[in-house]
Amino acid sequence: MELTHIDARGEARMVDVGGKAATRREAEAEALIVMQPETLELILSGGAKKGDVFAAARIAGVMAAKRAWELIPLCHPLNLTYAAVELRPEPPDKVRVRALTRCTGETGVEMEALTAASVAALTVYDMCKAVDRGMRIDQVRLVRKSGGKSGLFVRQDEKDAAGRTE
């Protein structure tokens, strides 16, 4: 196995994707935020002093997806055609963040989806830290990706949850 961002001398480099075919690419990532049950209740009741926590986190996640290339040194700037963030409460004490990104291009959108999920989770933390500094962001991970030479990837536990065997 070869790391694509390391050259023959072992130095970091940006991958040249100029010769790759432009294909439709999609990625989905998630993060889990664990908090006190009272914090989740506060979010769901709309009682957070900074405002609508989920709305702010959705917007922050989409904005972050569009700027992943500015945050991750060797990430290519992409012309995203779609970015969305969904936040689902999982009572009594969790919020699951799912981010979906799409583009047609020469390289994948995994980093954009992962960045969106991460920043949305960080936004929830920021908006609620006054009442719960012990919140924990866990399981930031790629769930699924499609397109490009490597084709489809679906995380094994996602396959199992959907009852699929491939």
Side-chain angles (χ1 to χ4, degrees), residues 28 30 98 141-145 150-166:
E28 186 174 0
E30 73 176 10
R98 284 273 178 139
R141 61 197 193 152
L142 181 66
V143 173
R144 183 182 55 77
K145 71 77 103 188
S150 63
L152 180 66
F153 164 82
V154 179
R155 182 168 292 286
Q156 186 61 48
D157 53 353
E158 288 292 311
K159 291 179 196 176
D160 296 343
R164 294 181 292 241
T165 57
E166 292 193 355

Side-chain angles (χ1 to χ4, degrees), residues 59-137:
I59 293 167
V62 169
M63 290 175 65
K66 297 190 305 183
R67 301 186 77 160
W69 66 277
E70 293 178 331
L71 302 170
I72 302 166
L74 302 175
C75 194
H76 291 84
L78 298 180
N79 185 18
L80 290 179
T81 58
Y82 185 75
V85 175
E86 174 187 298
L87 292 98
R88 284 191 324 249
E90 295 183 0
D93 62 352
K94 295 176 188 70
V95 172
R96 186 167 307 275
V97 178
R98 284 273 178 139
L100 178 65
T101 53
R102 290 186 194 125
C103 79
T104 298
E106 297 81 13
T107 189
V109 290
E110 297 96 314
M111 297 312 300
E112 289 71 15
L114 286 160
T115 300
S118 299
V119 170
L122 288 167
T123 301
V124 171
Y125 185 94
D126 179 55
M127 293 190 72
C128 298
K129 68 183 182 239
V131 296
D132 188 357
R133 291 202 187 270
M135 286 178 287
R136 189 175 72 239
I137 298 170

Side-chain angles (χ1 to χ4, degrees), residues 46-67:
K49 288 190 178 187
K50 290 187 175 183
D52 186 334
V53 174
F54 285 4
R58 278 192 301 275
I59 293 167
V62 169
M63 290 175 65
K66 297 190 305 183
R67 301 186 77 160

